[in-house]
């Protein structure tokens, strides 16, 4: 292990250069025009896996973007770790809000990252975090200290709902058979307070279309007499929450897991400063469901948010028009034991029922995902906690994450294995936002911690 850590220390510059190269490829999964860049990214990862010591690495085509699979099987009697990550990234828009181009990575110091952070789309989510695993794997191989079999499953469609990964897993259960799934695609609390994510929220994502008159009308000639779809959509959205910010969809909370007061007390012990939170976001107050703290609102409680809304005239100047249509994209984050299909149905029924007769409503479901909880009484959780204790010198705190990684629930359902979510990002790294970045401290800390995970895991499984 000492040798492995030495190898990492000696190769820091090379590890960084390689990541920067990967970040230059715009692997935006949502935009079909970028498909060839996803293929290119997959090819580069395959090459790097082979260089790092994988016996095999190849692409599997899907109806969408390719899946990368690689492995090194050293001994069938040893435990097998399946590393999951994603090489696709979110669209970088709005481009004008970036201080440097999203696919031209630069390193800059920030208040939170005084040693420097890499600014680029995907630096934290998830190329940087995924690539830590490739480099830890290289370091273990180069120093003869790999104590487990390793499989890599790196997909290109996480940011668009992992639509093809479930089928791939079901068709390749033998190929993917393993003892545990290891994922770095979540956050720690701060750089001096490690944490391990023990839950993720699920998701129901819908698009709504409200149609009034069959064409745009003169807002003077018809205004006041014909339903305006944009006004009506606003009223309908407003009806989705009550004065306490509780979601009004009948049945929405029926299956929500209720935490005991001691569980809630424990959850709220995690270090958190409301005043810093507000000042970082430049808001005078927070906003959310009455009766719950900010930490609870972003972890154990479901949400409903408009992600985007449009309709009518949005160009320069003023155009007097009564629009024919209005649209919105709405996401609902779900908690255990809510079912995304049931929630989508409840939303659709309610949203349709509150529409006045002056408009027609269409609801189209997009991707969704199941919530996940990962246990703490397992060898993999203990191994992650021991590894983080070794490298951070501090006990990791278990926390529930607010984001979603829909495939995690399927690892349990299809492969019958648990996942450990050992991420190294920070919530303030601006993932999905302009100026996404990943701390050099976090990148190297991850590379140093992962080999220790393998070692503790192999010991605990003996
Ligand atoms: N890595 C994130 C999820 C995440 C971020 C979990 C931070 C916990 C903390 C992932 O790439 C992501 O963005 N997932 C999407 C899922 C969706 C596209 C189905 C999300 O949460 O919006
Ligand atoms: Mn991610
Ligand atoms: Mn993401």
């Amino acid at each position: 292990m000492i040798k492995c850590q030495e190898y990492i220390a000696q190769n820091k510059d090379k590890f960084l250069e390689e990541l920067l190269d990967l970040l230059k490829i715009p692997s935006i999964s949502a935009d079909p025009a970028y498909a060839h860049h996803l293929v290119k990214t997959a090819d580069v990862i395959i090459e790097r896996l082979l260089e790092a010591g994988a016996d095999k690495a190849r692409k599997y085509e899907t109806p969408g973007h390719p899946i990368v699979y690689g492995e090194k099987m050293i001994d069938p009697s040893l435990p097998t770790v399946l590393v999951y990550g994603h090489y696709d990234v979110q669209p970088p828009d709005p481009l004008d809000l970036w201080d440097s181009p999203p696919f031209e990575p630069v390193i800059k110091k920030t208040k939170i990252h005084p040693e420097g952070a890499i600014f680029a789309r995907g630096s934290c989510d998830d190329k940087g975090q995924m690539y830590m695993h490739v480099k830890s794997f290289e370091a273990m191989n180069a120093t003869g200290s790999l104590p487990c079999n390793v499989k890599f499953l790196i997909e290109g469609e996480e940011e668009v709902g992992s639509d093809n990964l479930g089928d791939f897993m079901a068709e390749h259960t033998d190929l993917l058979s393993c003892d545990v799934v290891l994922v770095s695609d979540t956050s720690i609390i701060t750089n001096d307070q490690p944490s391990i994510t023990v839950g993720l929220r699920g998701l129901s994502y819908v698009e709504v279309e409200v149609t009034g008159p069959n064409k745009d009308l003169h807002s003077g000639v018809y205004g006041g007499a014909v339903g305006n779809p944009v006004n009506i959509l606003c009223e309908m959205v407003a009806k989705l929450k009550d004065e306490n910010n509780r979601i009004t969809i009948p049945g929405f909370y029926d299956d929500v897991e209720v935490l005991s007061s001691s569980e809630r007390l424990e959850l709220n012990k995690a270090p958190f400063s409301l005043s810093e939170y507000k000042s970082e976001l430049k808001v005078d107050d927070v906003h959310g469901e009455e009766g719950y703290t900010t930490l609870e609102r972003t972890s154990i409680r479901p949400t409903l948010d408009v992600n985007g809304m449009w309709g009518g005239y949005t160009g320069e100047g003023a155009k007097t028009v009564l629009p024919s249509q209005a649209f919105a994209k709405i996401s609902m984050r779900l908690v255990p034991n809510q079912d995304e299909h049931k929630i989508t149905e409840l939303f659709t029924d309610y949203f349709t029922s509150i529409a006045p007769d002056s408009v027609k409503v269409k609801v189209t479901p997009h991707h969704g995902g199941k919530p996940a909880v990962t246990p703490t009484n397992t060898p993999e959780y203990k191994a992650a906690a021991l590894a983080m204790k070794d490298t951070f010198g501090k006990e990791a705190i278990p926390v529930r994450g607010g984001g979603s990684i829909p495939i995690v629930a399927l690892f349990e359902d299809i492969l019958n294995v648990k996942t450990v979510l050992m991420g190294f990002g920070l919530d303030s790294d601006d993932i999905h936002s302009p100026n996404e970045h990943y701390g050099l401290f976090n990148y190297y800390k991850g590379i140093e911690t992962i080999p220790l995970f393998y070692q503790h895991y192999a010991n605990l499984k003996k």
Side-chain angles (χ1 to χ4, degrees):
M1 252 319 121
I2 297 169
K3 279 216 175 115
C4 181
Q5 296 298 336
E6 271 171 14
Y7 182 93
I8 294 167
Q10 285 158 5
N11 286 279
K12 283 189 158 179
D13 293 345
K14 176 181 100 101
F15 290 177
L16 179 58
E17 283 309 314
E18 289 176 10
L19 173 59
L20 299 185
D21 279 345
L22 208 57
L23 292 170
K24 289 176 189 159
I25 317 173
S27 50
I28 307 165
S29 50
D31 188 341
Y34 287 75
H36 62 288
H37 292 296
L38 283 103
V39 174
K40 171 79 189 150
T41 312
D43 287 334
V44 172
I45 295 167
I46 288 165
E47 220 179 278
R48 302 284 176 76
L49 279 171
L50 292 168
E51 283 165 13
D55 303 328
K56 303 179 199 166
R58 59 163 284 196
K59 275 198 303 263
Y60 283 86
E61 298 304 328
T62 75
H65 304 301
I67 292 166
V68 171
Y69 174 81
E71 64 173 41
K72 186 174 183 81
M73 301 299 289
I74 51 176
D75 180 347
S77 68
L78 290 172
T80 301
V81 175
L82 177 78
V83 174
Y84 165 81
H86 61 95
Y87 68 80
D88 64 321
V89 303
Q90 286 276 330
D93 314 78
L95 275 176
D96 53 320
L97 295 183
W98 283 77
D99 296 329
S100 55
F103 299 105
E104 293 172 31
V106 289
I107 294 166
K108 281 188 292 187
K109 295 186 161 81
T110 72
K111 217 173 90 202
I112 294 179
H113 295 291
E115 61 297 293
I118 311 159
F119 283 77
R121 172 57 88 229
S123 55
C124 174
D125 184 14
D126 177 44
K127 282 176 176 165
Q129 296 211 58
M130 174 274 291
Y131 203 62
M132 299 180 318
H133 287 270
V134 182
K135 294 299 98 180
S136 300
F137 175 65
E138 172 185 322
M140 290 185 281
N141 283 322
T143 55
S145 57
L146 182 68
C148 300
N149 302 306
V150 190
K151 296 180 173 180
F152 285 91
L153 177 66
I154 316 294
E155 70 155 317
E157 298 189 293
E158 197 276 341
E159 299 292 7
V160 288
S162 303
D163 281 347
N164 296 298
L165 191 60
D167 284 350
F168 176 82
M169 280 167 43
E171 280 164 31
H172 296 89
T173 48
D174 286 343
L175 182 73
L176 301 174
S177 74
C178 59
D179 296 283
V180 65
V181 180
L182 175 61
V183 183
S184 295
D185 195 22
T186 52
S187 320
I188 49 175
I189 296 173
T190 61
N191 279 356
D192 39 42
Q193 179 52 69
S195 57
I196 299 171
T197 302
V198 292
L200 292 165
R201 289 196 280 195
L203 184 70
S204 160
Y205 199 115
V206 296
E207 184 162 333
V208 301
E209 181 187 297
V210 177
T211 306
N214 61 349
K215 55 186 176 248
D216 284 5
L217 302 172
H218 188 290
S219 68
V221 178
Y222 292 94
V226 176
N228 178 325
V230 179
N231 290 29
I232 290 170
L233 175 57
C234 291
E235 287 163 24
M236 290 169 71
V237 166
K239 281 198 185 129
L240 297 173
K241 291 201 192 168
D242 68 13
E243 65 281 8
N244 296 318
N245 282 313
R246 275 183 67 90
I247 296 155
T248 50
I249 299 168
F252 185 86
Y253 290 98
D254 281 3
D255 302 322
V256 168
E257 173 194 52
V258 180
L259 268 69
S260 67
S261 39
S262 65
E263 284 172 308
R264 288 179 64 184
L265 211 65
E266 196 53 42
L267 186 159
N268 283 298
K269 279 188 194 154
F272 175 75
S273 154
L274 189 59
S275 60
E276 274 175 34
Y277 188 81
K278 289 192 286 193
S279 77
E280 256 169 44
L281 299 176
K282 295 203 167 56
V283 294
D284 293 335
D285 203 358
V286 290
H287 191 92
E289 189 184 358
E290 201 68 25
Y292 294 91
T293 64
T294 297
L295 281 179
E296 291 172 332
R297 289 169 179 170
T298 55
S299 63
I300 57 158
R301 299 299 296 169
T303 67
L304 184 152
D305 279 293
V306 175
N307 293 244
M309 204 167 168
W310 68 102
Y313 183 69
T314 56
E316 284 295 314
K319 178 188 178 194
T320 47
V321 66
L322 194 159
S324 161
Q325 286 194 301
F327 306 84
K329 292 184 193 275
I330 298 175
S331 69
M332 290 161 278
R333 295 281 169 176
L334 311 178
V335 298
N337 303 301
Q338 288 179 294
D339 174 82
E340 81 263 31
H341 304 293
K342 180 174 168 192
I343 293 295
T344 304
E345 211 175 292
L346 291 176
F347 174 92
T348 308
D349 290 349
Y350 182 62
F351 200 71
T352 314
S353 79
I354 59 175
D357 291 341
S358 53
V359 294
K360 288 183 186 63
V361 168
K362 195 169 125 198
V363 179
T364 311
H366 281 283
H367 53 67
K370 282 196 202 183
V373 264
T374 59
T376 53
N377 59 348
T378 58
E380 54 270 20
Y381 183 87
K382 287 177 192 140
L386 287 169
M388 283 187 145
K389 177 85 195 288
D390 291 342
T391 53
F392 286 87
K394 214 168 174 181
E395 213 69 58
I397 298 176
V399 295
R400 295 245 200 145
S404 311
I405 309 177
I407 207 67
V408 170
L410 297 191
F411 288 134
E412 180 141 20
D413 293 354
I414 301 175
L415 300 180
N416 199 20
V417 281
K418 303 276 186 220
T419 297
V420 58
L421 297 161
M422 188 172 71
F424 292 88
L426 294 180
D427 283 347
S428 57
D429 284 345
D430 291 320
I431 65 171
H432 294 208
S433 299
N435 303 312
E436 174 177 354
H437 54 282
Y438 190 41
L440 292 176
F441 170 90
N442 305 71
Y443 182 54
Y444 294 128
K445 191 63 97 183
I447 298 173
E448 290 157 14
T449 308
I450 293 162
L452 292 155
F453 169 86
Y454 280 82
Q455 197 165 66
H456 289 298
Y457 184 65
N459 283 340
L460 290 165
K461 288 288 276 186
K462 261 187 197 143

